[in-house]
Amino acid sequence: MKQIISSKPLVFWVVLAFLWVKTIIVSLTEFQFSLENVNQLIILLLNPLPVLLLAFTFILMQKEKRQTGLLLIFMSLISAILYANIVYYREFTDFITIPLLLMGNNINDLGSSVQTLVNGYDLLFFIDIPIAAILLYKWKKVRNTPDEKYSFKKLSPLYGLIILITIANISLANIERPELLTRTFDRDLLVKNLGIYSYHIYDAQLHITSSVPRVFANESELEEVNDYINEEAIDYIIKEDNEDMEKSEEKDLFGIAEGKNVIFVAAESLQDFVINETVNGEEITPFLNDLIDDSLYFEEFYHQSAQGKSSDSEFLIANSLYPSARGAVFFTHSSNDYYAMPEVMKENGYYTASLHGNNGSFWNRNVMYEQFGYDRFYTKDDYNVTEENSIGWGLKDIPFMEQSVDHMLDMPQPFYTNLITLTNHFPFDLGEEDMYIDRYDSNSNTLNKYFPTVRYMDESIKELFNELKENGLYEDSMIIIYGDHNGISTNHNKAMGQYLDKEVTPFVEVELQQVPLIIHIPGAEGETISTVSGQIDVRPTLFHLLGLEIENQTIFGNNLFSEDREELVILRNGDFITDEAMFIGNTCYDKTTGEPAETPLCESYKEKVQEELQLSDSIIQGDLLRFSESIKEQQPIQSINKNTFNEQEH
Ligand code: GP9
Ligand code: MN
């Protein structure tokens, strides 16, 4: 060992130290890993080393002449990986996965967002590379022993050291977080414990092995999932009956919206904390606030999306299945068989369409929608998009609503439509002419700009209602507005705390994942419903209101009007919320206090939560719905508007 160290120019070790220290600084500052005990400090110090040292041994085994160049390439590569994660983390508080990198199309569209996430100081991040280059070429002269190509044998002490560090790292990580490698959806903990580099290697391995389940999957796996779903339902009914709970008139609202057009509004980045609130003394969502009085409003409704963002929320709503923990199902499993809501609606006599003012290929929608059974996908090409009526990500929401109603007028009724809004998207850019309220004033420009764009979206929904009324569509339609996912990430906790006038603790962070769900049925009475609910529950709830009883569907959500439903929402990272508690990370919080619970409020749910996420994953990874009766009965999917579906980016 001593020999290796002394026989190598010191500068090689300096380079290693640069990368090591840089990784640690980034982990603490950019990734905001807090250190709660000495164990965590040791893990943080150890975990970058195995991969760095291993790459180092590889370089030492190359011809002497090549070593310096390779070392610089390696240094640049590591810095690039680290920096890409920093930029991604700044927006999503998450780490890059391989499926994400494969979403090429989307990366182009992310242009304007990326600009806001990168700043001049970031150049400092790469400063060690030119310094290392100078040192490597100059210091060569001062080395005392000649450089050489190292043999495996000579390097064996170094390998020994790598193994030792790895064992120490994994053992300590296991103490910190049991079952670390089986809970792969908890990326924060994975990176915190394994280190960013080992995490990427682990992620690559997951990626390679993830295509295997489909090959070996068979019908019995689907039966297993269906058994679980049926058993859960029965267990809960028995439990409730034993408790002598009175069965309510669950059929009350059954079929109340029968035969009506269905109009979904996917409200981009709309969080629930703005509802019935003000900024600078002005209402943020005046139209929605009024609408709620005459609508079914679910006041504790959570988004359950993950890396697939908007597309994940669409997936949840259409299929009542969980999205993937890594990447977006819209990309990774777009050729699977699904028995999605548009398909079901089509079978029930509806014309189905999704409408979006952006490119059809964005989020791979044009491909995935074929499996969802949409009759038509209206994209950018179907709208009059000009420089004046666009901002940021494309067509502004008000002209989008106006033109969308025009499209609806061309559709056979009843129709089922999905309107995807866009203006309230990070970085929340808005022209002065569309500012109905002023920006907020805090240290987060993102949060400051969020309020006026939310206000603009509210105005666009008002416009939708006006247009529907003017064109005689309103009375025959049911309008469902839902927030797709959060718009303000935890990076803005300080500013958010200032706005909310309370500290944004992990408990509050999860509370902030609530998004609005507003179901408006003209003529029906309004009600604010406080049951704990999530996007996964929308599909069965909607079928209930439409009076549709669908057979042979494999879904995890529940009809929110059913008294037999257990109040439980499972988030994609394994956290969950019940009527009494929130399970976050590894801590169970009492909802009444927002503090860690003193009694075991979460224990009885933990196993079910894991099982449910795993079963849902098995459906997606094994493409299990291809074995389902409903799919087998289906005619082969025919794309009516092939041109629209296959449209490429412009
Ligand atoms: C674009 C829109 C935004 O098509 O759905 O996607 P997001 O970045 O929010 O997932
Ligand atoms: Mn979105």
Side-chain angles (χ1 to χ4, degrees), residues 268-269 309-310 425 484-485:
E268 177 58 50
S269 303
K309 306 288 285 176
S310 297
H425 193 287
D484 64 348
H485 49 74

Side-chain angles (χ1 to χ4, degrees), residues 381-649:
D381 285 351
D382 300 288
Y383 287 84
N384 174 26
V385 185
T386 61
E387 214 167 283
E388 290 75 56
N389 71 9
S390 311
I391 185 118
W393 286 52
L395 183 61
K396 293 196 273 190
D397 289 345
I398 292 181
F400 169 68
M401 291 300 184
E402 290 164 354
Q403 297 184 40
S404 295
V405 174
D406 287 345
H407 288 315
M408 284 181 206
L409 289 168
D410 292 337
M411 296 177 194
Q413 293 192 42
F415 55 70
Y416 168 101
T417 51
N418 180 40
L419 305 180
I420 304 166
T421 61
L422 204 53
T423 311
N424 189 41
H425 193 287
F426 180 83
F428 311 113
D429 286 335
L430 197 67
E432 286 301 322
E433 70 283 5
D434 293 320
M435 294 257 191
Y436 294 88
I437 54 173
D438 286 337
R439 293 187 179 142
Y440 183 56
D441 184 16
S442 73
N443 74 344
S444 157
N445 207 17
T446 301
L447 182 67
N448 299 349
K449 287 160 73 187
Y450 180 69
F451 294 102
T453 50
V454 170
R455 175 66 186 82
Y456 175 83
M457 176 159 57
D458 181 78
E459 199 66 23
S460 78
I461 299 174
K462 181 176 164 187
E463 183 60 29
L464 168 70
F465 275 71
N466 287 343
E467 291 282 330
L468 290 174
K469 283 178 185 164
E470 275 169 30
N471 289 288
L473 287 173
Y474 172 75
E475 290 295 336
D476 297 328
S477 303
M478 137 195 227
I479 301 118
I480 305 127
I481 301 158
Y482 72 92
D484 64 348
H485 49 74
N486 62 323
I488 306 297
S489 69
T490 49
N491 282 347
H492 309 279
N493 275 358
K494 193 165 170 239
M496 190 60 118
Q498 178 191 329
Y499 175 74
L500 298 174
D501 199 16
K502 64 178 174 190
E503 190 196 341
V504 182
T505 58
F507 178 81
V508 176
E509 275 174 17
V510 173
E511 273 186 331
L512 284 168
Q513 303 315 306
Q514 289 172 22
V515 294
L517 171 63
I518 303 167
I519 303 180
H520 183 76
I521 307 166
E525 245 173 67
E527 189 186 344
T528 293
I529 300 158
S530 52
T531 185
V532 181
S533 50
Q535 287 167 334
I536 207 155
D537 300 315
V538 170
R539 167 175 160 151
T541 306
L542 194 79
F543 286 161
H544 179 80
L545 296 171
L546 289 168
L548 298 173
E549 281 173 306
I550 310 296
E551 281 176 8
N552 292 327
Q553 40 169 2
T554 301
I555 59 169
F556 287 99
N558 293 287
N559 166 16
L560 293 171
F561 297 107
S562 164
E563 285 294 318
D564 300 333
R565 175 179 175 269
E566 183 174 31
E567 292 208 40
L568 171 68
V569 169
I570 302 173
L571 303 184
R572 186 54 259 202
N573 63 0
D575 290 350
F576 59 85
I577 303 111
T578 73
D579 46 347
E580 294 177 318
M582 276 190 193
F583 186 72
I584 306 165
N586 217 2
T587 311
C588 185
Y589 292 84
D590 186 333
K591 269 168 104 175
T592 46
T593 59
E595 299 294 327
E598 279 158 15
T599 49
L601 294 177
C602 298
E603 283 315 307
S604 60
Y605 297 92
K606 282 187 185 168
E607 209 176 302
K608 175 190 157 92
V609 167
Q610 296 300 318
E611 189 178 2
E612 194 157 314
L613 287 172
Q614 265 152 24
L615 288 174
S616 181
D617 285 346
S618 74
I619 292 184
I620 295 167
Q621 285 161 13
D623 189 8
L624 296 185
L625 294 181
R626 67 194 143 128
F627 304 120
S628 130
E629 289 307 315
S630 338
I631 299 281
K632 284 185 195 159
E633 285 162 13
Q634 258 173 31
Q635 305 295 325
I637 292 179
Q638 286 174 357
S639 146
I640 292 185
N641 277 276
K642 257 223 143 13
N643 290 342
T644 318
F645 278 113
N646 294 339
E647 172 246 34
Q648 285 306 307
E649 230 168 298

